Amino acid sequence: MNLPLNDPSLLKNQGYLNGEWVNGDSGDTFPVFNPATGEEITRVANMGTIDTRRAIDAAKAAMKEWQKKSAKERSTVLRHWYNLIITNQEDLAVIMTSEQGKVLAESRGEVAYGASFIEWFAEEAKRVYGDVIPTPQTDNRAIVIKQPVGVVAAITPWNFPNAMITRKVGPALAAGCAIVIKPAEETPLSALALAKLAQCAGLPAGLLNILPSKNSREIGAEMTGNPFVKKLSFTGSTPVGKALMKRCSDTVKRTSMELGGNAPVIIFDDADLDKAVAGAAASKYRNSGQTCICINRILVQDTIYDAFVEKFAALVKTYKIGNGLDKSSTHGPVVNKTAIGDIQVLVDEALEKGAVAIVGGKPSDQDGYFYEPTILTHVSDSMRVFREEIFGPVAPIFSFSSEQEAIAMANDTEFGLASYIYTRDQGRVWRVSEAIECGMVGVNETAITSEVIPFGGIKESGQGREGSKYGLDDYLEIKYICMGDLHA
Ligand SMILES: NC(=O)c1ccc[n+]([C@@H]2O[C@H](COP(=O)([O-])OP(=O)(O)OC[C@H]3O[C@@H](n4cnc5c(N)ncnc54)[C@H](O)[C@@H]3O)[C@@H](O)[C@H]2O)c1
Ligand SMILES: O=C[C@H](O)CS(=O)(=O)O
């Protein structure tokens, strides 16, 4: 399948290992499909254990020189890479829409968002400060320096195939580390195109290694078991994150976990209703609901429930699902056929328990993996759509009476990634923001992410933070040096 690219050389189908484009040791390949059409885009090298081991060895060797460079030298390379990503934004967006499905406008936005992490950490690289601590003794001083954690392994998901790569590679390289990445098997092309641009930017060989593969378990086993890997950064589902954390404990690796969500939005009766409708819809149906911080449960105060449902349904009915490269499409497909089935199981379970699909409720009849934007009313917390991450364009709308009931519903989950509140009562903003158990809160806003904020969750949504001034810490180790014999 030919993609409409200005630079066709960005469409890579080999692994990127030690600065070279290579086929997997097995010589095997796997297909990458366009979810809007079901067509095969290309076949990609299927990397395995031997390739992973080679990549880790290359990263270990390359890191020796990289960590000796000055922060400014590392920053300069990252800045050049950022400039190349922005210059090639349109091609990167077309590649993303073709393999992941999101509409082109969202893909363009993700490329810019992904690039912002490279820009941000090009700057943060120069601000890895330490401490000089006055000690209780008079003849010594305590010095604290920060050093790179070591070789990083990373595993990333298909829903943001560009930004989930750069949100890890940016801080890793800025800190002086080298990194080996396995992207999702559904969307390797975005990662490979980023590697091509990093190569063009002069990033030294071995610092960035991309291992496309269908053998995720096999590669994960090597990444989590190899003693030269000092940190695993994972973004994906909570069950997989738990398994990887367990494996990492064998060699006491540091881990960063960006896992599943079950975000509530709480809409109080003093909210600006039109803003709440627009914000809730934008979050819920962003990337066709395949976003970790998508609203998963809409909680509306009972006094405004009917008014909210009427406005929300009127907006959702205007959506046009279709191929993301078609300018008239507002929303794209879901990632594959399995996702269609998973979503339908959740919807059917709710319907069997009394829910009503006032909009949608089934797959679209057009070719490709399309699910109709769906709204469910008459829902309850006994349904799976209350407890599980839907990861599709389905909006269950629950009602509540009091602030206390809303907080209890919001917190009634093992997840704790993002939450959203619509109210114009400042006292309520503080009470509810502090009471909700999560890592990020949007108040009268659902577009809450950028490179400057600490992205991450609590409970079973993960550990660590990506982006912001905090993001570099996950790739650094603190070393304390006692400077004695001061009066020698
Ligand atoms: N918190 C965040 O920042 C964030 C961001 C994006 C997605 N997510 C979460 O990711 C999930 C959706 O993405 P997904 O379907 O790709 O998740 P997933 O966990 O199925 O896969 C994520 C990655 O892990 C790999 N993988 C799967 N099983 C593995 C194993 N046993 N060993 C090693 N690697 C394995 C996959 O190949 C993929 O690269 C959702 O739960 C979503 O909430 C979280
Ligand atoms: O799906 C997960 C992403 O992290 C969401 S965002 O692009 O960071 O908002």
Side-chain angles (χ1 to χ4, degrees):
M1 177 181 172
N2 289 322
L3 300 186
L5 302 178
N6 298 310
D7 180 0
S9 76
L10 287 176
L11 188 62
K12 307 300 287 183
N13 64 1
Q14 294 174 295
Y16 184 62
L17 202 165
N18 200 19
E20 296 180 355
W21 297 96
V22 297
N23 296 319
D25 183 68
S26 69
D28 184 19
T29 63
F30 66 93
V32 179
F33 295 103
N34 181 333
T37 63
E39 288 176 294
E40 179 178 299
I41 299 169
T42 185
R43 295 188 70 86
V44 178
N46 189 27
M47 314 300 266
T49 301
I50 292 172
D51 307 299
T52 306
R53 207 165 286 157
R54 283 182 187 144
I56 294 167
D57 290 344
K60 185 168 180 284
M63 193 179 150
K64 288 191 173 76
E65 286 310 308
W66 184 244
Q67 68 183 48
K68 288 177 188 168
K69 290 189 180 296
S70 72
K72 187 154 188 169
E73 288 174 302
R74 294 200 290 268
S75 172
T76 300
V77 175
L78 287 174
R79 182 81 210 181
H80 189 183
W81 187 21
Y82 163 78
N83 291 334
L84 289 176
I85 293 171
I86 294 300
T87 302
N88 291 275
Q89 182 177 12
E90 190 63 16
D91 278 354
L92 293 173
V94 167
I95 290 171
M96 186 187 309
T97 291
S98 301
E99 66 173 350
Q100 197 272 343
K102 64 182 71 175
V103 293
L104 204 50
E106 285 196 31
S107 290
R108 291 188 185 112
E110 183 187 336
V111 172
Y113 175 57
S116 73
F117 290 103
I118 303 302
E119 180 188 41
W120 174 261
F121 286 105
E123 296 154 0
E124 287 295 286
K126 295 183 276 187
R127 294 172 185 80
V128 179
Y129 301 133
D131 294 302
V132 177
I133 306 167
T135 63
Q137 299 77 24
T138 58
D139 60 351
N140 66 39
R141 293 289 182 269
I143 311 289
V144 172
I145 63 172
K146 293 179 182 176
Q147 295 179 306
V149 68
V151 170
V152 177
I155 299 173
T156 56
W158 49 260
N159 65 333
F160 284 79
N162 178 297
M164 298 304 99
I165 299 282
T166 59
R167 206 158 76 177
K168 299 176 188 304
V169 177
L173 295 179
C177 300
I179 188 165
V180 179
I181 302 178
K182 189 210 76 68
E185 51 267 39
E186 296 86 350
T187 57
L189 304 179
S190 293
L192 295 171
L194 282 169
K196 169 68 178 172
L197 294 175
Q199 186 182 33
C200 295
L203 186 70
L207 290 177
L208 172 65
N209 303 275
I210 309 283
L211 303 174
S213 179
K214 278 190 76 70
N215 308 322
S216 55
R217 284 179 181 276
E218 180 184 332
I219 291 191
E222 183 59 28
M223 285 182 164
T224 53
N226 191 305
F228 294 137
V229 171
K230 300 304 179 189
K231 177 184 175 68
L232 177 75
S233 182
F234 173 72
T235 297
S237 65
T238 293
V240 175
K242 288 180 177 179
L244 294 172
M245 285 179 79
K246 284 176 184 160
R247 280 273 300 163
C248 284
S249 65
D250 291 344
T251 49
V252 195
K253 292 180 187 2
R254 297 225 349 228
T255 61
S256 292
M257 291 284 147
E258 293 288 354
L259 305 179
N262 182 7
V265 59
I266 306 175
I267 301 168
F268 291 96
D269 60 10
D270 69 310
D272 178 324
L273 194 55
D274 290 331
K275 273 189 180 176
V277 165
S283 170
K284 172 65 260 182
Y285 298 100
R286 177 182 176 213
N287 195 15
S288 294
Q290 302 168 117
T291 300
C292 59
I293 59 169
C294 268
I295 288 169
N296 207 58
R297 298 169 289 159
I298 301 178
L299 315 180
V300 182
Q301 197 150 20
D302 46 17
T303 46
I304 58 164
Y305 186 88
D306 293 343
F308 176 87
V309 168
E310 183 182 352
K311 285 176 176 281
F312 192 79
L315 173 57
V316 173
K317 284 173 182 173
T318 67
Y319 291 162
K320 180 179 179 294
I321 55 177
N323 190 315
L325 294 177
D326 178 345
K327 292 193 177 74
S328 67
S329 301
T330 60
H331 295 80
V334 293
V335 70
N336 55 31
K337 194 173 184 180
T338 304
I340 293 277
D342 292 343
I343 295 164
Q344 195 60 54
V345 163
L346 293 177
V347 170
D348 287 346
E349 190 261 2
L351 296 176
E352 283 158 17
K353 288 186 175 178
V356 176
I358 62 169
V359 177
K362 58 185 175 55
S364 164
D365 53 14
Q366 61 185 288
D367 291 342
Y369 310 128
F370 293 92
Y371 197 89
E372 292 180 354
T374 295
I375 300 173
L376 298 176
T377 58
H378 300 82
V379 287
S380 74
D381 62 7
S382 68
M383 297 171 184
R384 290 178 63 182
V385 290
F386 183 88
R387 308 213 157 277
E388 298 179 29
E389 186 175 43
I390 298 166
F391 230 59
V394 177
I397 307 178
F398 303 82
S399 70
F400 67 88
S401 299
S402 68
E403 183 179 298
Q404 289 67 33
E405 183 189 3
I407 292 169
M409 289 174 74
N411 288 337
D412 182 14
T413 173
E414 68 271 27
F415 294 103
L417 192 57
S419 299
Y420 308 91
I421 313 165
Y422 277 88
T423 177
R424 286 178 284 195
D425 176 332
Q426 283 311 306
R428 172 173 281 158
V429 166
W430 281 105
R431 290 193 303 272
V432 179
S433 297
E434 292 180 350
I436 284 190
E437 299 160 356
C438 65
M440 302 174 280
V441 180
V443 176
N444 298 322
E445 178 59 77
T446 54
I448 61 173
T449 53
S450 74
E451 74 279 16
V452 306
I453 64 103
F455 189 103
I458 62 173
K459 304 200 302 189
E460 295 195 16
S461 286
Q463 57 183 211
R465 290 298 183 269
E466 294 191 323
S468 81
K469 68 173 185 176
Y470 305 100
L472 216 47
D473 293 342
D474 282 13
Y475 295 87
L476 294 166
E477 290 289 8
I478 287 174
K479 177 178 282 180
Y480 154 55
I481 303 166
C482 178
M483 292 292 186
D485 202 11
L486 218 59
H487 305 307

